[in-house]
Amino acid sequence: MKSLRKAVLPVAGLGTRFLPATKAMAKEMLTVVDKPLIQYAVEEARAAGIEQFCFVTGRGKTALVEHFDLAYELEATLKERGKFDTLKQLEGASAIPGSIVSVRQQVPLGLGHAIWCARAFIGDDPFAIMLPDDLILADTSWVKQLADVYGQTGGNVVAVEEVPREHTNRYGILKVGADDGRTAEVLGLVEKPKPEEAPSNLSIVGRYVLMPEVIGELSRFEKGAGGEIQLTDGMARLIGRQPFHGLRCHGRRFDCGDKAGYLEAQIAFALSRPDMADKVRAFLPRYS
Ligand code: UTP
């Protein structure tokens, strides 16, 4: 079995729910406390042994790649001034030369199409997909938790969460077979089903480990829910041909593509940091 070394980060969406903030800036550059969402995702992947990254970008998203470049003048100035603690804070925002590539999705035709755009990068290897606007607060990286299950079961493993039944029409939903309460065998996948038609209330969230064969399925360019080329539809065609599991990961996910989810993430991440927790606890009661 090949080990997991690659991650694809689709960041070509329009981010309409965050306008006007995302008019000239990528949603994934929004910060939680002091770090952009894209950096949280890259750090989570690195903690799982991922060495190669592909950002699927669109127009106006160059800052995402530049964030991981050397900031030569800034770093030289900080060194000159002896600000070594501040310099240390830039460590997570650097990259091994050649470890980040970007490809363009010229028109946002859907998440499935964005992944297809990374086909040359993926080649014949298993790969992780990370949607950076799903932000994870956990002791163990979710990509690592998925990779560990992939190491046992082989095949495809996706992160899943129970959602309220009335919200199934916002997510990719699983039809579940054998289920031990943490890992569930996937028998079917449906994108955004109506609550009355949903096979369960177990939804896919923004972390996946997939086999390269999904690219062949996405090459059909079939439009699914919302007229978009859906990743869920491509994945569904692998069921029965390859092992496919859903994993309830340990830790919490914040939907930072949604304004309330993003604000909650700010509070939760600040409270999890020793340098911020007391300050936040001091002002929070004023707002309850
Ligand atoms: P979303 O559904 O959150 O869409 O995409 P969005 O455009 O980012 O945001 P809203 O809904 O307009 O506010 C989920 C993920 O898939 C990527 C997005 O960048 C995000 O990471 N995506 C989606 C693409 O890269 N290309 C697409 O064509 C669609």
Side-chain angles (χ1 to χ4, degrees):
M1 186 192 297
K2 284 190 180 176
S3 52
L4 186 69
R5 293 281 174 262
K6 294 181 176 177
V8 177
L9 285 74
V11 289
L14 297 175
T16 53
R17 285 171 291 167
F18 264 96
L19 285 169
T22 48
K23 185 182 170 200
M25 185 188 83
K27 172 171 70 172
E28 297 77 10
M29 284 305 289
L30 290 171
T31 54
V32 169
V33 186
D34 53 8
K35 233 192 271 181
L37 293 172
I38 190 79
Q39 188 178 335
Y40 284 103
V42 166
E43 289 178 358
E44 179 192 334
R46 284 183 183 141
I50 300 283
E51 293 162 349
Q52 297 168 49
F53 296 86
C54 179
F55 296 174
V56 182
T57 66
R59 278 182 301 284
K61 305 260 181 170
T62 45
L64 290 165
V65 179
E66 274 171 23
H67 182 71
F68 295 93
D69 207 348
L70 190 72
Y72 182 76
E73 284 171 14
L74 173 66
E75 292 177 29
T77 309
L78 291 174
K79 257 184 221 150
E80 233 172 69
R81 294 184 183 171
K83 303 229 168 191
F84 296 104
D85 284 351
T86 314
L87 256 178
K88 231 179 148 29
Q89 284 165 19
L90 289 176
E91 274 173 10
S94 61
I96 298 167
S99 63
I100 298 180
V101 300
S102 77
V103 296
R104 277 286 169 119
Q105 184 193 26
Q106 285 83 352
V107 185
L109 297 176
L111 179 57
H113 182 260
I115 301 305
W116 177 82
C117 290
R119 63 200 178 281
F121 169 82
I122 294 163
D124 292 327
D125 295 316
F127 64 104
I129 299 174
M130 308 176 75
L131 309 188
D133 53 358
D134 269 342
L135 180 62
I136 308 301
L137 186 58
D139 292 336
T140 306
S141 146
W142 275 28
V143 176
K144 168 94 172 73
Q145 295 183 42
L146 295 176
D148 287 347
V149 172
Y150 161 69
Q152 292 156 15
T153 61
N156 307 276
V157 191
V158 294
V160 296
E161 263 180 13
E162 321 274 349
V163 295
R165 174 61 65 176
E166 62 271 25
H167 292 168
T168 56
N169 57 358
R170 301 180 189 171
Y171 300 95
I173 298 290
L174 273 64
K175 183 178 176 200
V176 172
D179 186 355
D180 66 7
R182 182 153 194 261
T183 310
E185 184 192 5
V186 180
L187 298 182
L189 290 170
V190 199
E191 185 63 32
K192 299 188 173 64
K194 292 182 191 147
E196 60 277 17
E197 288 164 13
S200 76
N201 67 337
L202 208 53
S203 127
I204 306 174
V205 291
R207 299 292 183 272
Y208 314 63
V209 170
L210 296 185
M211 298 301 103
E213 287 75 18
V214 76
I215 296 297
E217 302 306 329
L218 295 172
S219 307
R220 299 163 179 246
F221 301 127
E222 276 174 21
K223 287 185 183 165
E228 296 193 350
I229 300 169
Q230 295 288 355
L231 175 61
T232 305
D233 297 338
M235 294 191 300
R237 292 208 189 84
L238 300 178
I239 298 167
R241 287 164 44 195
Q242 300 177 336
F244 211 125
H245 293 89
L247 178 70
R248 297 174 183 86
C249 294
H250 299 303
R252 280 206 63 190
R253 173 191 73 102
F254 297 89
D255 179 3
C256 291
D258 169 78
K259 285 187 266 260
Y262 177 64
L263 291 176
E264 191 182 351
Q266 300 281 6
I267 303 292
F269 273 71
L271 288 173
S272 76
R273 284 182 38 164
D275 62 328
M276 294 292 296
D278 287 347
K279 291 177 206 165
V280 176
R281 267 196 206 99
F283 74 63
L284 265 187
R286 277 183 239 152
Y287 300 93
S288 57

